[in-house]
Structures are given as C-alpha cells and as structure tokens.
Amino acid sequence: MARYNPKEIEPKWRERWNAADAFKTRVDRDRPKYYVLEMFPYPSGRIHMGHVRNYAMGDVIARFKRARGFNVLHTMGWDAFGLPAENAAMQTGAHPGEWTYSNIDHMRRELKQIGLAIDWSREFATCDLGYYRWQQRLFLDFWNAGLVERRESYVNWDPVDLTVLANEQVVDGRGWRSGAVVERKKLSQWFLKITDHAEDLLAALDDGRLKGWPDNVRLMQRNWIGKSKGLRMQFRFYGGTKSPDGAEAIEVYTTRPDTLFGASFLAVAPDHPLAAAYAAKSKEAAAFVEECRKSGASQEAIDKAEKRGFKLPVEVEHPFIGDRRLPVYIANFILMGYGTGAIFGCPGHDARDFEFAKKYRLDIIPVVLPFGADAGEFSVDQESYVGPGSLFNSDFLDGLTVEAAIEKAIEKIEGLGIGRAATQFRLRDWGVSRQRFWGCPIPAIHCEKCGVVPVPAKDLPVELPHVDAAVFKTPGNPLDRMPEWRNVPCPECSGAAKRETDTFDTFVDSSWYFARFATDPAKWPSGPVDKGDCDYWMPVDQYIGGIEHAILHLLYARFFTRAMKKAGHVSMEEPFANLFTQGMVTHATYKDEAGNWVLPDDVIVEGGKARMAGDGAPVTIGSIEKMSKSKKNVVSPIDIIEKYGADAARWFILSDSPPERDVEWTDAGAAGAWKLVARIWETVEPCADVLTSHDGDEAPANANVELRRATHATVAAVTDDIEHFRFNRAIARIYEFLNAFKKARESDEWSRAEALSALIRLIAPFTPHLAEECWERLGGTGLVCSAPWPEADAALLRKDEVTLPVQVNGKRRAEISVAADADKAAIEARALGDAGILRHLEGLTVRKVVVVPGRIVNIVAN
RNA sequence: GCGGGCGUGGCGGAACCGGUAGACGCAACGGACUUAAAAUCCGUCGGCAGAAAUGCCGUGGGGGUUCAAAUCCCCCCGCCCGCACCA
C-alpha cells in the first residue's frame, strides 16, 4: 500500500484547483451569496501560526458554504502601508516599496501552501497606487460631505527621530527607538468626524443590526463610545469679576446635577484656557501647569499621581445659594479632552473630589442619603457615597431620588438660562494624520493665500515619490525634504503652494478594503468601489479576526462605511453582519541554563523534562504563552507543512480548542493530526471506485442500518457544528464516525460507500487536499471542492428504541430500553419492573415518579 | 477601582433549554506484530474500597432552589481579558 505523501499530493491538487479556476467568483443572482472574510495580513514576509488558524477557519466556512450551494466570495490582500517598512529601510537600506512587495511575494507563496479556497484574482495591496488613489478620492468626498476637519491637537513628539509616536510607542515617557523624552507638541492635524456618527454607531450595537457580533466586542465598543447624559452649566465669577482673558463664567459638564448643593469647589484642566490665562500672569500658576504637562505620560504615572491643585485668585457664585462662593483650582486630574475641561466638585459623592477635598481641607457636604439611612447619623468622613438614595440638605431637591433630582436640577438651571442638558461622548474624532512616508498621501495643498485646499479630483492621484532608500537615514519624514514633490501651484490661485506631507493612518487603509474586494476587479480602474457589486456582496456575512481589533479597526470600518454611504458610494451602513474573534496560538516557553529563551525546535522534551537537542544541556520549561519572536516560542507553519503537510496543520489547529479560545500548539498534537490524515487514506485506499459502482442507487435490502444511522447522524452533527463555529466538536464527531466505520468493517459495500462518500465531503473543508485525493480514489464525480454537501436523511436520524437512565432519588441505578414513542405510563411501568431498580427500592415506598420521555426517569422513594 | 468572562481527569476539552459528568483527542499503561525500535493494531485509563459484582466520593470552596445542578441563585477563593481620574 502506498503511503500517503502530502509533499506530492498537496501541490498537485492546488494546481488542479488553479487550472479549473475553482474559486473564481462572479456575481450570480441565482444563488444566495456568502461573503467570508478574514482580517487581511500585514506583509511581514512570513506567515505564522496565528495566520494558519485565522485563515483555516475562514477556509472551512468558505468551502462549507460553497458545498451548501452558496456563491462564496473569499479573498486575500495585504495591509501593506506602515512603519515596519520604514524601519527596514533605516536598518537595511531597502526601499520601503521594494521591501514590502518582496515580502508580499514571499508571503503569498507561503500562504498558498495552506491550500485556501481563495479568489486570487481580487488580490491587492493597500500600497498599490490603484488602491490608494481611490482612498484619496474617498477623502475628498468625505471632505465635501463635511466629515473632514483640520484641528490642532497634542501629539507625542520624539525630538530625536523627529516623528510623532503612537501611544504604544511611548515607553515610560520615552520614545521606544530613540529613548528620548517624549514631548507633547501641538500640531495641526487632519480629523475624520467619527463623533458625528457616535449616536448611530452606539445605537446599532443594541438595536439588532449587530446581533451577529459577540457580546464582549459590542460591550467594548459601547464603553469606548462612552455616552453620558448630563448638564453643561455656567458658574459666574463672584460679583461680576472677569478672568484675565475676559471670561465672565466657567462652563462645566456634570452627570450629577443633583449634587449641586454639595458643591464645594470648581476645577479646570491644566490645558484649560482659564489656566493658560492665569499662567500668563503668574509664575506659580505657569509652573504648576508645566509640571502637570510633564507628568502623566505613562499609565503608571496616572495611577500613582496624587491629586493636586493650584488655587486661583477667583471665586464663583453658587447658582442656587446666594451667599455661597466656591474656590477655583487648576487640577491635575481634570481632562481637557472630556466635557468642557472643567468640573464642579462634590466631595461627598465623588471619590476623586473627595480625595481632593481631603487634601485641601474643603467642605464635604453630604446631599444624598442612602435609602433607609438616618440623616442625623449618616456621614461621609471615610469615603464618598456614590450609590442611590434620596436628596437632603438640598432645598428644593430634598426628598427626591437621585434620578428625579437630576431632572429637576436640569430643569431649574435651564430655567435660569445658565445651562442646558447635554449628551457627552468619550469617543473623540479620529486623527488620521501621520508624519510618515510609507502611507497614503493626504490629498491637500497648503497655500498662503487660499489656506488649505483639496487636491482637485482631476489631479489625483497624489503619488508617493520614488525615493532613494538613503533618505531614510535622516530622521523625520522624507516628504518634508523633497521640494520637487512638495512645491506645487495652488489649484485655486495658481500661486506657489506646498503639498501636505502627512500620510494617512493605516487604519484608514483597512476601513474600506472589504468593499474593494467585493468590487469586480474589472471595475477597479473606474472608482473606489462599485455600488452594484457591493449591493450584491455586502455586508460581509462572516468576518473573522483577532480580538485585538475589537475596538479601533472595527469601529473605524463601521464609521467609514457610514461615511461612504453618505458620500453615495454604497448603500449599506454596517459592513460586518457576523463577527467571530478567534483566540491566539500559544506554545510552551523554554530557557537554557543561562536564562536565554530557546526555540522549541532546539529542544527535546521527554517525560516532562526538556534538554537541548544538540548537547543535551538542561532546559527549563516555562509558562505557555502567545507565540512571539521575543520569547522564541514559535513554530514555523512552513516547517510543519514540510513535515506533516498543510492538511495536518489545518486539522490540528482547529481540533484541540474551541475557536474563540487560545490553542496550545504541541508537537504531539500535530503528529496526532498527521496520524489522522494517514488513517483516513488507509481507510479509503482499498475502496477504489466504490462511488462509481454505487453512486445514486437505492439502499439494498442488506444495507447495514447501524452504519447508515451513524453516517447520517454524523452528517447532521458536523453540519450543525460548522454552522456554529464549533470546529473542535465537528472534528470529534468525525473521529467518532471513523471509529464506528472501523467497527462496521464487515458491512455491505453499499453502506460503506455511502459512509465514505459522506466522510470525505465532511472532511473536505478541513483537509481539502486529502479529501480530493480520497474522492478521486473512490471514484467521485469532479472535484470534491465543488461537490454538494451531504444531506442527512431524517428517517435515519429517528430512533425506534431509546435507552433511558433510571434514577432512584437522583442517583442513576439502571438503564432501560423502551420504544421511542412509548408513553409515560409504559416507561414508568418498565422502570418500576426493572430488577436492578427493585433491588434499590427494597424497604422504600415510592412517593413520586418523574418521567421525561426521551431523557430520564427518576423515582422518588423513602 | 469599574466592566466582562472563566474555573470539569495527568493535559486540551465535551455535556444542546436543569435530565446517564468526563464524548473526542493527547499523554500514560498493558498486550499483539517485530531480532529490536519506530509505525500500526487490540485493550485499560476521574478518585477511594473491592478478586469481581458493586458501592461511596467527585465539575475551585461553602450554602441554597429542585424529583434532579457542571448548568439556576447567594457568599467566598483563584485566574484571564477590556477600560482606566471620562466628572
């Protein structure tokens, strides 16, 4: 018997699929469509196990849906702009474009070895001019639609590398590469007005439009959008005085206007205009503001930071209490970016205000009494009270609940004309400017006379200049240093002007790629997307990716889709109907005697102990962690494919754990998957052409009903499991069936042919190459990747007889066999007559018999 | 601190709406084949007691609801994830 050799067989079938154009997709209105999409990869150059898991899951769904008669769109492309290419240019002198495209070539070759059912004719990279030119067009359309704004904002500035850093690139207040202390710098930046859609982005999370999304992702987005309802109101300076900048009042935002009678101070953010106004006049104020700016870069600093304030030489009036004046502070814990950047402090009912008041010995006036508490005894000496209750010490609010008092207070303030009810979002507008080379140029021109002017659509694309790799040796954005690219005539006045040198955040690139995939490539030269094609394919029916994108990517894509709709490019507003977030691939970590991380490939593990493969030196086995280069606990998918084949790799990575959970890659598990592949081939090999001789005929009289039941039960179960993303369970069912098939080896050939025909089609989404080889061997028609999914015969799923457990007082004491349609009385009689049961009922009186047909019998006796 | 989730054999996990706990796989062990090993095949495999039949215990710990709890409720312990001074 020929041993199954994936090295020969797998490439053979990939060529056949290719030759048959098996996965090429066209609009076909006769079939229901199904768009399955995995988050596209960054072209780092090599695939890793996370890719294998992600794309294997998508591929199972794609192949399964194809077999079930859907017109399936399944594509691949490259999220190809971004910093690593520039880093590579700095380190190796390679041009970012050349580096990226050569990575793509290499990675595409690797990815193809997995055997994915993908329409490669739709492949593109976001750094293709043919893609990003249309992104510029979308931006202009958004600009026209009022969704683009230019605004000053603070950025993390690395003064050595002359670049803006993302928050995660700031480590302990220093640039991750240069180690220089990061400065906060105010820059004019481009913003997309995602907050314009905040209300709808939030509403869709709960109104059923995203019912196919996991609850935790919806929750994370809800918290991120962070809607709160409250009151914006003015506090007038005492006695009509004005601040140095001429203001007569401070506007604050609060969600607790009910606690106004407990107010004992006001505080403004260090970036607040009032703080700036006093800083200009007073050295002490300026020093305090400066100090606040310096601290607070890292998370740790915020955690530890003590609440501190600087008292300003002004007071404000309380709106309800004529003779109460409140001091005003600049405080380090107030955020300029939220609300109005100013608050009133009620120490009795806010933990932060309480801490602040304790430190500066401010009044703590309780105004909310917990239900059932005694007003005379209640105090807030130790901590603030933030729970529910009824108001006291609060004049016209006394006796009201917190909720009622909030409404009443807002009403009163609005009546006085010094404030309005207001909704506030935590979500900020999306800053899309990046001071980098390797990204999509923002199509704008700065003219001294005309200001900021969009590049006219006819002048698009703004192409990245072809530069020598050496320019990346100098810190900063090379675009800033290229006058021949930068200097252009103003489109409006034709005077001397300069191009915008910022490029887009790469999250922009990934915010519409799904709609580009849905557009027929023949139409790519004529627009960003084709509305008709998108109407057919969108939304994505199943989107699959890592949980790490739960907030930003998914929220941006949702916003972008709304923006594209507003600009008339598409009709849908939610891009992803169903979302699945898969877990990570983990592996044990190893360290040598010197404490250095060691690659699993260099380690031999036996009987729970590890040693170096080379010299046998002892190795410590560490914790199981996400595969990462830094801890060296990586296993190369390509090595595994070399060793066991792509099918075994796909099988194992889906078999061991539920898809949403982390999976631990173990060599034993991979070897086990290989055994399964060999076992299926060995099962099929002796049965050459059984499908040719038994295809489509009726079950003969001698058919093995038991095997047929197992076949059809397995088909039903596996179908249901794949439908619900329970790949690990589907695989367990296939193992179970294989065991049943083996036991039925004396069975008639017809039933065995039926079983094998079903088996091969069931494994096809998981191990597609093996399935084709088996299908051919069995004499199946055509390619198995185009064969219809097996159907379970309902008649064979019904059982005539069922086994029921019988309990006495909740403990299982026997099993009985009864007809499936037996009534309760008959079941009860059978149970009470069972010898084993009688033994347990000796000396007891039966009080009650619970019969759940098809499930269980429980006899209660004492 | 706030929000969410999880806890089942040596391990990954299964158990649908409260109804036979441990499917399936891995590891381990015993046996067959082999000069031997690997591979393969057959079998055992939660704990305790027992030769066995069988019995008792058992889903992080404690309590509760129920004829019946891994599943529902309350308290506690542990782990993981997200957010983090958002007024």
Side-chain angles (χ1 to χ4, degrees):
Chain A
M1 181 161 67
R3 195 151 168 79
Y4 186 77
N5 181 0
K7 267 190 175 168
E8 275 171 30
I9 291 166
E10 292 189 346
K12 176 179 85 183
W13 287 106
R14 289 199 291 271
E15 272 161 41
R16 295 261 190 107
W17 295 329
N18 211 15
D21 249 346
F23 307 120
K24 184 115 174 194
T25 315
R26 286 161 213 87
V27 168
D28 171 3
R29 300 195 185 271
D30 295 336
R31 279 186 295 163
K33 67 94 184 181
Y34 198 89
Y35 184 3
V36 53
L37 181 69
E38 304 94 331
M39 291 179 185
F40 66 164
Y42 178 80
S44 58
R46 308 227 174 270
I47 61 169
H48 53 69
M49 280 301 172
H51 291 127
V52 177
R53 194 175 195 208
N54 192 203
Y55 299 123
M57 283 180 197
D59 204 46
V60 168
I61 299 293
R63 289 175 179 272
F64 171 73
K65 289 289 177 180
R66 263 175 67 86
R68 303 214 83 196
F70 288 86
N71 187 25
V72 170
L73 180 61
H74 189 210
T75 55
M76 184 61 68
W78 312 96
D79 190 11
F81 274 134
L83 202 52
E86 286 182 62
N87 293 340
M90 263 182 262
Q91 281 155 14
T92 68
H95 182 275
E98 286 165 18
W99 182 86
T100 302
Y101 281 108
S102 109
N103 275 354
I104 288 175
D105 283 342
H106 192 258
M107 205 159 153
R108 183 194 302 110
R109 261 197 308 277
E110 292 195 347
L111 215 43
K112 284 196 173 181
Q113 288 187 58
I114 303 175
L116 304 173
I118 275 175
D119 179 357
W120 284 98
S121 73
R122 293 177 189 246
E123 176 195 357
F124 65 82
T126 55
C127 64
D128 293 346
L129 181 59
Y131 181 78
Y132 76 75
R133 68 184 300 168
W134 294 114
Q135 186 160 304
Q136 295 173 340
R137 174 60 169 275
L138 288 173
F139 179 76
L140 296 182
D141 291 344
F142 293 177
W143 199 336
N144 279 328
L147 290 168
V148 171
E149 224 171 63
R150 219 173 134 68
R151 206 185 290 163
E152 297 221 301
S153 93
Y154 283 104
V155 295
N156 302 309
W157 181 258
D158 185 320
V160 171
D161 279 353
L162 301 180
T163 188
V164 170
L165 299 175
N167 285 332
E168 58 271 23
Q169 292 169 335
V170 180
V171 182
D172 291 331
R174 290 168 180 276
W176 66 297
R177 177 197 301 284
S178 69
V181 174
V182 169
E183 296 171 2
R184 292 182 75 210
K185 193 174 170 181
K186 222 174 196 180
L187 283 184
S188 274
Q189 307 245 78
W190 291 95
F191 284 87
L192 291 180
K193 289 168 77 179
I194 189 170
T195 54
D196 275 13
H197 290 270
E199 201 71 67
D200 192 55
L201 287 167
L202 181 70
L205 295 172
D206 294 314
D207 65 12
R209 277 180 274 173
L210 296 180
K211 62 176 185 291
W213 282 39
D215 290 343
N216 62 337
V217 175
R218 292 209 310 251
L219 184 73
M220 279 191 245
Q221 293 215 348
R222 192 177 310 134
N223 292 340
W224 188 261
I225 295 169
K227 181 179 179 176
S228 73
K229 285 184 188 166
L231 170 72
R232 270 171 188 260
M233 65 171 289
Q234 315 271 334
F235 280 87
R236 293 182 55 81
F237 291 120
Y238 180 71
T241 53
K242 289 186 180 182
S243 70
D245 59 341
E248 292 175 5
I250 302 173
E251 187 177 46
V252 305
Y253 174 73
T254 178
T255 55
R256 293 295 302 274
D258 58 311
T259 63
L260 262 169
F261 284 95
S264 55
F265 67 96
L266 255 69
V268 301
D271 294 330
H272 194 276
L274 191 73
Y278 279 101
K281 278 181 62 176
S282 135
K283 273 188 191 157
E284 288 88 356
F288 181 77
V289 167
E290 192 47 40
E291 220 173 297
C292 291
R293 269 195 199 142
K294 274 185 191 155
S295 65
S298 73
Q299 200 57 252
E300 224 186 338
I302 292 171
D303 283 348
K304 286 183 189 159
E306 182 189 10
K307 297 204 174 8
R308 301 193 319 130
F310 180 86
K311 193 171 177 186
L312 294 174
V314 275
E315 289 179 316
V316 294
E317 295 169 356
H318 193 285
F320 299 145
I321 309 169
D323 57 355
R324 191 185 292 172
R325 302 188 215 164
L326 308 177
V328 180
Y329 289 82
I330 304 172
N332 64 346
F333 66 100
I334 308 300
L335 306 173
M336 190 60 217
Y338 190 76
T340 62
I343 59 128
F344 78 77
C346 174
H349 304 287
D350 182 284
R352 298 155 303 182
D353 299 346
F354 182 85
E355 194 187 327
F356 191 78
K358 277 281 178 193
K359 175 155 180 174
Y360 293 101
R361 295 169 199 267
L362 301 167
D363 293 340
I364 299 173
I365 309 157
V367 291
V368 178
L369 190 63
F371 294 122
D374 183 79
E377 288 170 17
F378 178 66
S379 83
V380 284
D381 292 343
Q382 294 308 308
E383 56 175 2
S384 55
Y385 176 71
V386 296
S390 59
L391 274 285
F392 71 129
N393 294 337
S394 292
D395 190 12
F396 63 90
L397 298 175
D398 280 352
L400 296 175
T401 63
V402 166
E403 293 72 27
I406 288 174
E407 269 184 49
K408 185 87 177 259
I410 291 176
E411 217 173 89
K412 193 88 172 183
I413 293 289
E414 287 186 334
L416 290 171
I418 54 169
R420 290 210 69 82
T423 299
Q424 188 65 44
F425 291 94
R426 205 190 80 106
L427 180 72
R428 320 272 174 85
D429 278 331
W430 177 14
V432 294
S433 285
R434 295 293 180 271
Q435 291 69 30
R436 309 208 188 286
F437 173 84
W438 192 235
C440 170
I442 298 178
I445 289 168
H446 300 267
C447 171
E448 283 193 13
K449 254 196 279 174
C450 311
V452 183
V453 180
V455 173
K458 66 172 172 52
D459 293 343
L460 291 183
V462 178
E463 192 174 350
L464 277 176
H466 297 274
V467 296
D468 194 273
V471 301
F472 296 101
K473 299 277 184 208
T474 315
N477 183 352
L479 294 176
D480 288 336
R481 304 189 299 268
M482 308 183 106
E484 70 284 5
W485 182 80
R486 215 184 155 184
N487 294 332
V488 285
C490 170
E492 285 186 6
C493 70
S494 302
K498 285 185 189 311
R499 279 195 193 288
E500 170 66 65
T501 58
D502 284 356
T503 51
F504 283 121
D505 177 7
T506 56
F507 274 121
V508 177
D509 310 337
S510 55
S511 288
W512 65 286
Y513 76 109
F514 42 87
R516 184 75 167 176
F517 277 144
T519 298
D520 187 326
K523 299 171 190 162
W524 285 359
S526 42
V529 300
D530 181 82
K531 200 170 184 177
D533 287 351
C534 287
D535 282 346
Y536 176 76
W537 287 114
M538 294 296 295
V540 173
D541 294 280
Q542 185 64 62
Y543 197 36
I544 307 171
I547 187 76
E548 65 273 20
H549 293 112
I551 297 175
L552 294 184
H553 163 59
L554 291 167
L555 197 59
Y556 292 150
R558 294 180 60 214
F559 158 67
F560 223 81
T561 305
R562 283 165 170 75
M564 289 204 293
K565 185 184 176 192
K566 195 173 176 190
H569 289 287
V570 296
S571 319
M572 80 288 184
E573 54 185 31
E574 282 299 344
F576 313 122
N578 295 290
L579 173 71
F580 189 88
T581 53
Q582 98 270 9
M584 298 180 299
V585 182
T586 64
H587 195 284
T589 50
Y590 304 109
K591 274 187 181 177
D592 65 15
E593 283 174 295
N596 301 312
W597 301 107
V598 185
L599 286 166
D601 275 354
D602 298 335
V603 174
I604 294 173
V605 183
E606 256 171 7
K609 294 221 168 133
R611 58 189 157 83
M612 293 299 290
D615 55 9
V619 167
T620 325
I621 303 179
S623 57
I624 293 158
E625 298 191 46
K626 178 185 180 172
M627 282 192 182
S628 76
K629 280 180 198 158
S630 60
K631 292 189 176 152
K632 288 200 176 174
N633 60 337
V634 288
V635 174
S636 152
I638 295 304
D639 291 351
I640 295 297
I641 289 171
E642 285 282 309
K643 196 168 170 191
Y644 301 116
D647 286 337
R650 293 169 60 125
W651 183 264
F652 172 61
I653 205 134
L654 296 178
S655 69
D656 243 28
S657 293
E660 68 277 11
R661 257 190 253 179
D662 291 351
V663 63
E664 187 193 349
W665 184 276
T666 61
D667 197 57
W674 160 244
K675 273 193 336 203
L676 178 277
V677 168
R679 194 172 143 200
I680 287 183
W681 176 246
E682 278 151 26
T683 306
V684 165
E685 213 250 8
C687 304
D689 295 323
V690 288
L691 296 187
T692 334
S693 32
H694 296 291
D695 195 25
D697 35 344
E698 292 277 306
N702 69 338
N704 181 338
V705 177
E706 207 180 321
L707 176 60
R708 295 200 66 210
R709 280 190 200 281
T711 301
H712 288 263
T714 303
V715 167
V718 171
T719 305
D720 191 54
D721 285 337
I722 295 179
E723 201 77 75
H724 293 97
F725 264 82
R726 297 185 294 238
F727 305 127
N728 57 324
R729 247 171 54 161
I731 283 174
R733 301 307 293 249
I734 290 170
Y735 272 113
E736 221 167 345
F737 181 52
L738 217 48
N739 292 339
F741 183 78
K742 192 162 62 184
K743 283 210 182 88
R745 67 175 80 77
E746 300 306 322
S747 169
D748 67 297
E749 195 179 76
W750 191 93
S751 306
R752 289 163 57 77
E754 181 187 49
L756 288 174
S757 168
L759 172 70
I760 297 313
R761 285 178 288 161
L762 293 181
I763 64 164
F766 299 95
T767 57
H769 312 88
L770 169 69
E772 294 289 4
E773 187 71 14
C774 291
W775 192 247
E776 186 183 56
R777 177 77 184 170
L778 294 172
T781 312
L783 292 166
V784 75
C785 69
S786 302
W789 194 249
E791 295 288 337
D793 181 349
L796 283 164
L797 297 180
R798 272 196 300 275
K799 289 181 175 170
D800 318 325
E801 222 175 51
V802 289
T803 306
L804 294 185
V806 181
Q807 298 178 331
V808 176
N809 292 330
K811 289 187 180 181
R812 189 178 70 91
R813 296 301 183 188
E815 278 181 356
I816 54 169
S817 241
V818 295
D821 56 358
D823 61 18
K824 282 191 178 188
I827 295 171
E828 184 174 329
R830 276 282 288 107
L832 289 171
D834 186 89
I837 293 301
L838 287 173
R839 203 158 54 79
H840 281 96
L841 289 177
E842 254 170 59
L844 299 176
T845 314
V846 174
R847 300 286 174 198
K848 187 177 173 185
V849 180
V850 181
V851 178
V852 185
R855 279 285 184 196
I856 205 164
V857 181
N858 191 10
I859 300 164
V860 186
N862 60 11

